[in-house]
Each structure stands twice: as C-alpha cells, then as structure tokens.
Amino acid sequence: MRQPIGVTVDMARYVLAQRLRGRRRFPLVLMLEPTELCNLTCTGCGKIRQSEEVLRRRLSVDECLKAVDECGAPAVSIAGGEPLTHPEIFEIVEGILARRKLTLLCTNGLLVGRALPRLRPDPRFSLVFHLDGPREHHDRMVERRGVFETVMRGIREAKARGFRVTTNTTLYKGADPEAIGQLLRELNAMGVDNCIVSPAFTYEEVGANREIFLRRKEAIELFRRVAKAAGPKVRYYNTPIYLDFLMGKRTLRCTPWGNPTRDPLGWKGPCYLLTDRHYPSFAEMMEKTQWEEFGYGENPRCASCMMHSGYEASAVSAMSLVDTWRMVRWLFAS
Ligand code: SF4
C-alpha cells in the first residue's frame, strides 16, 4: 500500500469536506520551512541563495505548529534548508504527528545518523532523502564528495529501524536516464517505500548555473526515458496523473495553493518556488495572491515549471471517474 490506510481515509475525508463546503482552492500539503540554513550548497538550489534575513531567522516550535493549525492541510512536508540543522526539529515533528498529519521530513541525509535515535517510526511519518542520481552525479549536484554514500547508509539504517523512507530525485540537464532508472530499481530492492521524481525548477537565484535546468520539452523527454529505464515496478510517490503529465500525456493547470509555504518570514506567495511577497497569515496569502496570474502560459517565470509542488495537487482537482479508479489502484498497490 502506498501509504497507511488511515492516512488515505483522512485525506479522502478532508478533500470531500472541502468540496462539500464549495471551496475551490484549498491546501493539501503544507510546505513548512523552519529554517533555510543548510549544510550543503547544491548547484540547483534557490533556497540557500535567498536574502540574509531569511537565512538568519528560523521558526520556533510554536510558530511551526501554529502554521500547521492555521493552514489545516492533512499533510506537512518539512523542508528548508536542511530541517535537521534546526535545534528543535524533534519537537516540531512530534507536534505535527500529535495532530495526526501525514508528516514528511525532507533531508539531505548528512545528519540522519545522529537524528535517527531521536526520531520514532510512525505510520504517518516518512523520512524523505534527497538523492538526484547515482554516486558521481549526486555528489556533483550537491557539490560534495561522499554524500551519496552517506545517504545510502542513512536509508539502510532508517529502514533497519523501522522508518518509512521516501527518496526525492530532481532531474537536471545532462542526467543519465538509464543510470537514474537503475538507481530507482535499486532503491526499490532496498525496501524504499516510495520514490518522488520531478524536474528541477529554474531558480533565477542560481545565476550562471542556470544551464543545468531543463525546458519543458526536455524534461518530458528525460522523464520518459527515466521511467522506461526504471521499469514498471518502481513505487512512485507521484500520482499516476502527475506521472502522465511528466510524460507529456496530459496537461494540468498549476494549483500553487495546494502546497502553500510557511517560511521564517511568513506565508510565501505565490508558491513554493516563486517569492513575490510574504503575508502575515495563511488566510491573507490565499485571499491576496492573484492566482490567475500564475501557471504555464500565464507567467514567463512558470514556463519551464513542472514541479510536484505546483502540479501534484492539480491531479486531485482534475480527476475524472477513470482517474479516481486509477488513484485508488495506485494507493492500494504494494
Ligand atoms: S507553475 Fe505554479 S508552482 Fe510552478 S512556478 Fe508557476 S506558480 Fe509556481
């Protein structure tokens, strides 16, 4: 099963409640960034190249939990920066789990060895390891040798301790689709519960390195080849509808409100990737963001974006009866 049955039931109940209330726009996954500080400087990361102010500040446990309550999304992805550098990360995770949210803790893996004894396995909790490809490729993208090995060691140890483990692979220009497909198969064989794959976002902040980013057509071509090389047995965490979108088989309209972002400066608009302004409350961000100005074909900054943070929630909004059946099969697939 893709995720514990209780999580699926809670999600379905939440979506139904939103629909019955007639809400057109509602959050599914809160992107919570307690800190933007990181112990790596990955080539394609725009987050670590933000203003000094956002890098200097961090959210307290209370601020994090207030954001979770304010937003109300059934899932929380704790991202950053590297969340494990936050001194109160364990209290933050516990507080979110106490609210029965599906909780994803994203990590580059460097501090996992030290963190595992202070975390506890829970059906609603997953560690999400950043892993862009095989050894040489991953270490080049994170600009440090040996990180791939550390991540693989962390995955093995986390599985041995009974944690749910997901990997998150970002696709860049020049990636070898066969090698990435092979890695996804290996991760499957190691018992990784789910794999996320997504093309990188073209962060303006990375400056001269922007040639590493894929245009839409290139991203579709690369993902098709990765999926072919990976074969049919890989357990993707991406929904089948989003995977169709990545393969160029269907179009989706971006739904950035599906993954709202709370970072140390406030509620970030318009989306997880673009920073135009921060709002003091979730309600104000939802009300004041001019949603119709964003998405493919609406805004030049969105032209190459196919990120899950913009389009996974679109899959839920765009579901037909056939899609619903496919989603049910995907959720219950082993
Ligand atoms: S397409 Fe959506 S998620 Fe992507 S940059 Fe634009 S608004 Fe953000």
Side-chain angles (χ1 to χ4, degrees):
M1 198 174 290
R2 198 75 43 178
Q3 59 190 18
I5 183 80
V7 174
T8 303
V9 170
D10 285 356
M11 288 265 195
R13 204 183 282 150
Y14 169 82
V15 171
L16 190 64
Q18 304 306 310
R19 295 252 161 88
L20 290 175
R21 274 185 217 148
R23 287 180 75 187
R24 265 181 66 218
R25 300 186 178 112
F26 53 86
L28 281 173
V29 182
L30 166 63
M31 309 299 284
L32 181 66
E33 300 186 330
T35 175
E36 302 291 353
L37 278 182
C38 194
N39 44 6
L40 282 176
T41 51
C42 301
T43 309
C45 181
K47 301 274 177 181
I48 51 153
R49 294 173 174 88
Q50 298 184 84
S51 69
E52 273 295 311
E53 193 192 358
V54 68
L55 293 176
R56 211 177 42 239
R57 287 166 65 165
R58 63 173 179 243
L59 294 172
S60 67
V61 179
D62 283 351
E63 285 171 321
C64 287
L65 299 181
K66 182 167 174 268
V68 172
D69 294 339
E70 211 184 324
C71 168
V76 181
S77 176
I78 309 172
E82 168 55 46
L84 290 177
T85 62
H86 193 295
E88 294 169 307
I89 190 63
F90 306 108
E91 290 83 350
I92 294 169
V93 169
E94 278 303 325
I96 299 171
L97 282 172
R99 286 159 170 75
R100 295 179 57 76
K101 306 286 182 183
L102 175 64
T103 308
L104 309 170
L105 178 60
C106 303
T107 179
N108 60 29
L110 291 185
L111 299 173
V112 159
R114 259 190 275 163
L116 285 178
R118 298 189 62 191
L119 292 164
R120 63 175 176 85
D122 185 294
R124 289 174 187 265
F125 178 66
S126 276
L127 282 155
V128 182
F129 287 84
H130 168 204
L131 192 58
D132 285 345
R135 180 180 287 106
E136 200 193 317
H137 177 78
H138 184 71
D139 287 355
R140 187 170 64 248
M141 296 317 295
V142 303
E143 301 187 10
R144 192 184 299 178
R145 287 177 73 173
V147 175
F148 175 87
E149 270 314 318
T150 307
V151 171
M152 295 301 264
R153 208 168 39 244
I155 290 174
R156 278 191 284 270
E157 194 179 338
K159 285 307 301 175
R161 286 175 176 261
F163 287 92
R164 293 181 66 82
V165 169
T166 297
T167 54
N168 187 6
T169 300
T170 306
L171 300 177
Y172 293 95
K173 203 177 270 185
D176 176 349
E178 276 72 34
I180 294 181
Q182 165 74 21
L183 176 66
L184 294 176
R185 288 209 305 273
E186 281 169 26
L187 293 169
N188 235 35
M190 282 168 66
V192 164
D193 297 273
N194 296 295
C195 299
I196 299 170
V197 181
S198 177
F201 177 66
T202 311
Y203 280 109
E204 287 174 3
E205 292 87 344
V206 309
N209 284 327
R210 286 177 69 190
E211 80 280 358
I212 61 171
F213 297 121
L214 297 153
R215 292 175 190 278
R216 252 188 182 225
K217 266 187 158 174
E218 295 168 329
I220 290 169
E221 182 54 31
L222 179 59
F223 181 70
R224 280 183 184 160
R225 294 178 63 194
V226 168
K228 189 168 175 220
K233 291 194 180 148
V234 168
R235 291 181 293 272
Y236 291 103
Y237 213 15
N238 308 108
T239 61
I241 300 164
Y242 177 71
L243 291 177
D244 279 355
F245 169 69
L246 284 188
M247 291 211 219
K249 292 182 184 169
R250 68 189 290 169
T251 53
L252 289 173
R253 182 157 171 72
C254 172
T255 49
W257 55 84
N259 289 51
T261 304
R262 173 69 164 100
D263 74 15
L265 298 188
W267 290 91
K268 190 164 94 88
C271 70
Y272 180 62
L273 307 155
L274 299 174
T275 310
D276 286 355
R277 59 173 287 198
H278 285 86
Y279 298 86
S281 72
F282 172 70
E284 197 175 332
M285 185 275 292
M286 288 295 279
E287 188 195 326
K288 293 198 173 155
T289 304
Q290 301 297 309
W291 300 112
E292 55 289 342
E293 291 177 6
F294 300 97
Y296 182 68
E298 306 294 340
N299 192 307
R301 291 181 295 166
C302 300
S304 300
C305 177
M306 299 185 84
M307 283 284 291
H308 43 61
S309 58
Y311 289 93
E312 275 288 14
S314 315
V316 174
S317 322
M319 272 202 294
S320 64
L321 267 181
V322 175
D323 291 333
T324 308
W325 173 237
R326 288 178 71 202
M327 285 288 281
V328 170
R329 283 180 52 196
W330 169 77
L331 281 165
F332 287 92
S334 57

CSV table of all heavy atoms in Angstrom, one decimal, residues 201 254-256 270-274 294-296 301-302 305-307 309-311, ligand 1:
chain,number,residue,atom,x,y,z
A,201,PHE,N,13.2,23.1,-10.7
A,201,PHE,CA,12.7,24.4,-11.1
A,201,PHE,C,13.8,25.3,-11.5
A,201,PHE,O,14.9,25.3,-10.9
A,201,PHE,CB,11.9,25.0,-9.9
A,201,PHE,CG,11.4,26.4,-10.1
A,201,PHE,CD1,10.4,26.5,-11.0
A,201,PHE,CD2,11.9,27.5,-9.5
A,201,PHE,CE1,9.9,27.8,-11.3
A,201,PHE,CE2,11.4,28.7,-9.7
A,201,PHE,CZ,10.4,28.9,-10.7
A,254,CYS,N,-1.6,24.5,-13.1
A,254,CYS,CA,-0.9,24.6,-11.8
A,254,CYS,C,-1.9,25.0,-10.7
A,254,CYS,O,-2.7,25.9,-10.9
A,254,CYS,CB,0.2,25.6,-11.9
A,254,CYS,SG,0.9,26.0,-10.3
A,255,THR,N,-1.8,24.4,-9.6
A,255,THR,CA,-2.6,24.8,-8.4
A,255,THR,C,-1.7,25.1,-7.2
A,255,THR,O,-1.5,24.2,-6.3
A,255,THR,CB,-3.6,23.6,-8.0
A,255,THR,OG1,-2.8,22.4,-8.0
A,255,THR,CG2,-4.7,23.4,-9.1
A,256,PRO,N,-1.0,26.2,-7.3
A,256,PRO,CA,0.0,26.5,-6.2
A,256,PRO,C,-0.5,26.6,-4.8
A,256,PRO,O,0.2,26.3,-3.9
A,256,PRO,CB,0.6,27.9,-6.7
A,256,PRO,CG,-0.4,28.5,-7.6
A,256,PRO,CD,-1.1,27.3,-8.2
A,270,PRO,N,3.8,33.7,-4.6
A,270,PRO,CA,2.6,32.9,-4.9
A,270,PRO,C,2.8,31.4,-4.6
A,270,PRO,O,1.8,30.7,-4.6
A,270,PRO,CB,2.4,33.2,-6.3
A,270,PRO,CG,3.7,33.3,-6.9
A,270,PRO,CD,4.5,34.0,-5.9
A,271,CYS,N,4.0,30.9,-4.5
A,271,CYS,CA,4.1,29.4,-4.5
A,271,CYS,C,5.4,29.0,-3.8
A,271,CYS,O,6.2,29.9,-3.4
A,271,CYS,CB,4.1,28.8,-5.9
A,271,CYS,SG,5.5,29.1,-6.9
A,272,TYR,N,5.6,27.7,-3.7
A,272,TYR,CA,6.8,27.2,-3.0
A,272,TYR,C,8.1,27.7,-3.7
A,272,TYR,O,9.1,27.8,-3.1
A,272,TYR,CB,6.7,25.7,-3.1
A,272,TYR,CG,7.8,24.9,-2.4
A,272,TYR,CD1,8.1,25.1,-1.1
A,272,TYR,CD2,8.6,24.1,-3.2
A,272,TYR,CE1,9.2,24.4,-0.5
A,272,TYR,CE2,9.7,23.4,-2.6
A,272,TYR,CZ,10.0,23.6,-1.3
A,272,TYR,OH,11.0,22.9,-0.7
A,273,LEU,N,8.0,28.0,-5.0
A,273,LEU,CA,9.2,28.3,-5.8
A,273,LEU,C,9.4,29.8,-6.0
A,273,LEU,O,10.6,30.2,-6.0
A,273,LEU,CB,9.1,27.6,-7.1
A,273,LEU,CG,8.8,26.1,-7.0
A,273,LEU,CD1,8.1,25.5,-8.2
A,273,LEU,CD2,10.0,25.3,-6.7
A,274,LEU,N,8.4,30.5,-6.2
A,274,LEU,CA,8.5,31.9,-6.5
A,274,LEU,C,8.2,32.7,-5.2
A,274,LEU,O,7.3,32.4,-4.5
A,274,LEU,CB,7.5,32.4,-7.6
A,274,LEU,CG,7.6,31.7,-8.9
A,274,LEU,CD1,6.4,32.2,-9.8
A,274,LEU,CD2,8.9,32.1,-9.6
A,294,PHE,N,-0.6,33.1,-12.4
A,294,PHE,CA,0.5,32.1,-12.4
A,294,PHE,C,0.1,30.8,-13.0
A,294,PHE,O,-1.1,30.5,-13.2
A,294,PHE,CB,0.9,31.9,-10.9
A,294,PHE,CG,1.3,33.2,-10.3
A,294,PHE,CD1,0.5,34.0,-9.5
A,294,PHE,CD2,2.6,33.7,-10.5
A,294,PHE,CE1,0.9,35.2,-9.0
A,294,PHE,CE2,3.1,34.9,-10.0
A,294,PHE,CZ,2.2,35.6,-9.2
A,295,GLY,N,1.1,30.1,-13.4
A,295,GLY,CA,0.9,28.8,-14.1
A,295,GLY,C,1.5,28.9,-15.5
A,295,GLY,O,1.7,30.0,-16.1
A,296,TYR,N,1.6,27.8,-16.2
A,296,TYR,CA,2.1,27.7,-17.5
A,296,TYR,C,1.2,28.5,-18.5
A,296,TYR,O,0.0,28.3,-18.5
A,296,TYR,CB,2.1,26.2,-17.9
A,296,TYR,CG,2.7,26.0,-19.3
A,296,TYR,CD1,4.0,26.2,-19.6
A,296,TYR,CD2,1.9,25.5,-20.3
A,296,TYR,CE1,4.6,25.9,-20.8
A,296,TYR,CE2,2.4,25.3,-21.6
A,296,TYR,CZ,3.7,25.5,-21.8
A,296,TYR,OH,4.2,25.3,-23.1
A,301,ARG,N,7.8,33.2,-15.8
A,301,ARG,CA,8.6,32.5,-14.8
A,301,ARG,C,8.1,31.1,-14.5
A,301,ARG,O,8.8,30.3,-13.9
A,301,ARG,CB,8.5,33.3,-13.4
A,301,ARG,CG,9.3,34.6,-13.5
A,301,ARG,CD,9.2,35.3,-12.2
A,301,ARG,NE,7.9,35.7,-11.8
A,301,ARG,CZ,7.5,36.1,-10.6
A,301,ARG,NH1,8.4,36.2,-9.6
A,301,ARG,NH2,6.3,36.5,-10.4
A,302,CYS,N,6.9,30.8,-15.0
A,302,CYS,CA,6.3,29.5,-14.9
A,302,CYS,C,6.6,28.6,-16.1
A,302,CYS,O,6.2,27.4,-16.1
A,302,CYS,CB,4.8,29.6,-14.6
A,302,CYS,SG,4.4,30.5,-13.2
A,305,CYS,N,8.3,25.3,-15.5
A,305,CYS,CA,8.0,24.6,-14.2
A,305,CYS,C,7.0,23.4,-14.4
A,305,CYS,O,6.0,23.5,-15.0
A,305,CYS,CB,7.3,25.6,-13.2
A,305,CYS,SG,6.8,24.8,-11.7
A,306,MET,N,7.5,22.2,-13.9
A,306,MET,CA,6.6,21.0,-13.9
A,306,MET,C,6.7,20.4,-12.5
A,306,MET,O,6.6,19.2,-12.3
A,306,MET,CB,7.1,20.0,-14.9
A,306,MET,CG,7.0,20.5,-16.4
A,306,MET,SD,7.4,19.2,-17.6
A,306,MET,CE,5.9,18.4,-17.8
A,307,MET,N,7.0,21.2,-11.5
A,307,MET,CA,7.3,20.7,-10.2
A,307,MET,C,6.1,20.1,-9.5
A,307,MET,O,5.0,20.6,-9.6
A,307,MET,CB,7.8,21.9,-9.3
A,307,MET,CG,9.2,22.3,-9.5
A,307,MET,SD,10.4,21.1,-8.8
A,307,MET,CE,10.2,21.4,-7.1
A,309,SER,N,5.3,20.4,-6.5
A,309,SER,CA,4.6,21.3,-5.6
A,309,SER,C,3.6,22.2,-6.3
A,309,SER,O,2.7,22.8,-5.6
A,309,SER,CB,5.7,22.2,-4.9
A,309,SER,OG,6.4,22.9,-5.9
A,310,GLY,N,3.7,22.3,-7.6
A,310,GLY,CA,2.6,23.1,-8.3
A,310,GLY,C,1.6,22.2,-9.0
A,310,GLY,O,0.4,22.6,-9.1
A,311,TYR,N,2.0,20.9,-9.3
A,311,TYR,CA,1.1,20.1,-10.2
A,311,TYR,C,0.6,18.8,-9.5
A,311,TYR,O,-0.4,18.3,-10.1
A,311,TYR,CB,1.8,19.8,-11.5
A,311,TYR,CG,1.9,21.0,-12.4
A,311,TYR,CD1,3.1,21.8,-12.3
A,311,TYR,CD2,0.9,21.4,-13.2
A,311,TYR,CE1,3.2,23.0,-13.1
A,311,TYR,CE2,1.0,22.6,-14.0
A,311,TYR,CZ,2.1,23.3,-13.9
A,311,TYR,OH,2.2,24.5,-14.7
B,1,SF4,S1,3.9,26.9,-12.4
B,1,SF4,FE1,2.9,27.1,-10.4
B,1,SF4,S2,4.4,26.1,-9.0
B,1,SF4,FE2,5.5,26.5,-10.9
B,1,SF4,S3,6.5,28.5,-10.6
B,1,SF4,FE3,4.5,28.9,-11.5
B,1,SF4,S4,3.1,29.3,-9.9
B,1,SF4,FE4,4.9,28.3,-9.0
